[in-house]
Amino acid sequence: MYKKLSLLLITLNLFTANVFAANDTKLILVTIDGLRWQEMFSGADKNLLNNKEFVREGFKVKEKFWHNNEAQRREMLMPFIWQTVAKEGVLIGNRNIGSTMSVANKWHFSYPGYSEIFTGVVDHSLDSNAKKENPQVSFLEWLNNKPFYQNKLAAFGSWDVIPYILNTQRSNLYINAGFMEAKGYALSEEAKLLNQLQKEIPSPWHNVRLDSFTYRYAKDYLLNVKPKVMMISFGETDDFAHDGHYDSYLISAHQTDAFIADLWNTIQTTPNYKDNTVLMITTDHGRGSTAKDWQHHASPLAIQNYMKNLKEFPNGIVGSENIWFAAIGPKIKAQGELKTAEEVKQKQIAATALMLLNEDPQAFNPKAGKAIKGLLK
């Protein structure tokens, strides 16, 4: 009897260990606001790079980011993406080779895009960037209500609307966005310094902080609190583009790539993250493709309503619905640029994230987009 009981206990322990091992995958989702697929897959745009209206003297971006060879040019701009992710992971969205991805929402700007990423559904009532609590439940909130993940998720963002998109009041997620300070855990000396510096160093924008603060806060939280799932949302690229500063847009994209490289190195050198963390990277919307419209993004319907200031573009900003996606990690097939048999949609990201975490997307929301095909090992 005792022998049978011992065998039963051993079996239960092994089963429990396997269950926890299967669910031990960590996930970090990074978004880069408004970064065009054109720069991601082709590097600096020659027509914009040579336009004095968008590139100021002294920034020397042509010397930093231009090469006649496209493969070298895109690597100069985003070295981590092309030296590491392209070799060890997957990329979607290079429309030049038949890899297509776009938003499913009918607005083509930030709030609807982020909501689509995190909730997996399209809510057409989310028709502005106003600070409105999102009625839709994100996969982050859903996970946070599960005992295994409770209080083990975190979101960091440069834009001060992120807390509303993730509905902080309802979701109870740990969120640090906009100009929030680090708080709620035993702060390191670096976090205390960041709190002070954020007060002292002005941002060019009233509602978006510099991405360096967002990344440093996120990295500090990762090392000290060790969440299972984290979101990091960078914002500078979109705002520099709106300002018409193609030089700063490129510099910011390059710096963001460096942040992601440092994040990946941190993951691979930190116990409990090394070899069991998936990194997903995407954007909330695209932009125009010409000197006239690259600064903007909006659908024809958005221009009739929320973005009436763009009425000179009655057909909307063509191409602003086109986005991209990248992923790397132990569960991701190393296949580089993936040609798509059908258009991938932004609403498929949430289900993909849950599949990577060994969670059931149907249990989350049966109306959510299906996971992206062909990514998982």
Side-chain angles (χ1 to χ4, degrees), residues 2 44 92 144 191 244 263 280:
Y2 290 110
I92 298 172
N144 201 40
L263 174 63
M280 296 168 57

Side-chain angles (χ1 to χ4, degrees), residues 336-353:
E337 294 185 76
L338 181 65
K339 293 184 179 181
T340 52
E342 56 187 25
E343 186 108 1
V344 177
K345 291 296 181 179
Q346 190 175 53
K347 64 181 180 179
Q348 296 179 257
I349 294 172
T352 305

Side-chain angles (χ1 to χ4, degrees), residues 36-54:
R36 302 193 308 170
W37 71 269
Q38 290 93 328
E39 278 80 23
M40 173 61 73
F41 294 100
S42 298
D45 185 322
K46 185 177 182 179
N47 293 325
L48 299 178
L49 200 60
N50 292 323
N51 190 319
K52 293 182 179 180
E53 181 181 350
F54 306 128

Side-chain angles (χ1 to χ4, degrees), residues 1 44 110 133 145 212 277 283 309:
M1 178 180 175
S110 290
E133 297 290 351
N145 288 322
S212 181
T277 302
T283 188
N309 60 310

Side-chain angles (χ1 to χ4, degrees), residues 7 26 52 57 81 99 116 161 180 196 200 235 240 246 249 273 275 280 283 293 306 308 324 365 373:
L7 287 171
K26 310 296 193 305
K52 293 182 179 180
E57 290 185 14
I81 292 293
S99 180
E116 187 177 332
V161 182
M180 293 179 180
Q196 187 62 35
E200 299 171 354
F240 281 131
Y246 193 64
Y249 168 85
Y273 286 99
D275 297 330
M280 296 168 57
T283 188
D293 67 5
Y306 179 61
K308 292 180 180 179
W324 52 267
N365 188 342
K373 296 177 181 177

Side-chain angles (χ1 to χ4, degrees), residues 2-19:
Y2 290 110
K3 186 175 182 180
K4 288 183 179 180
L5 183 60
S6 297
L7 287 171
L8 178 60
L9 289 172
I10 290 170
T11 302
L12 286 172
N13 286 335
L14 286 172
F15 175 77
T16 303
N18 287 334
V19 168

Side-chain angles (χ1 to χ4, degrees), residues 149-204:
Y149 289 96
Q150 195 168 37
N151 300 319
K152 295 177 182 176
L153 295 98
F156 293 81
S158 296
W159 189 30
D160 67 359
V161 182
I162 293 294
Y164 297 86
I165 297 170
L166 296 177
N167 200 328
T168 311
Q169 291 186 3
R170 187 189 63 219
S171 67
N172 293 316
L173 289 165
Y174 181 90
I175 298 180
N176 178 306
F179 298 94
M180 293 179 180
E181 295 184 343
K183 61 181 181 179
Y185 65 100
L187 298 187
S188 67
E189 291 305 310
E190 181 171 349
K192 294 175 183 177
L193 178 59
L194 287 171
N195 284 346
Q196 187 62 35
L197 290 175
Q198 186 171 231
K199 296 175 184 177
E200 299 171 354
I201 300 174
S203 167

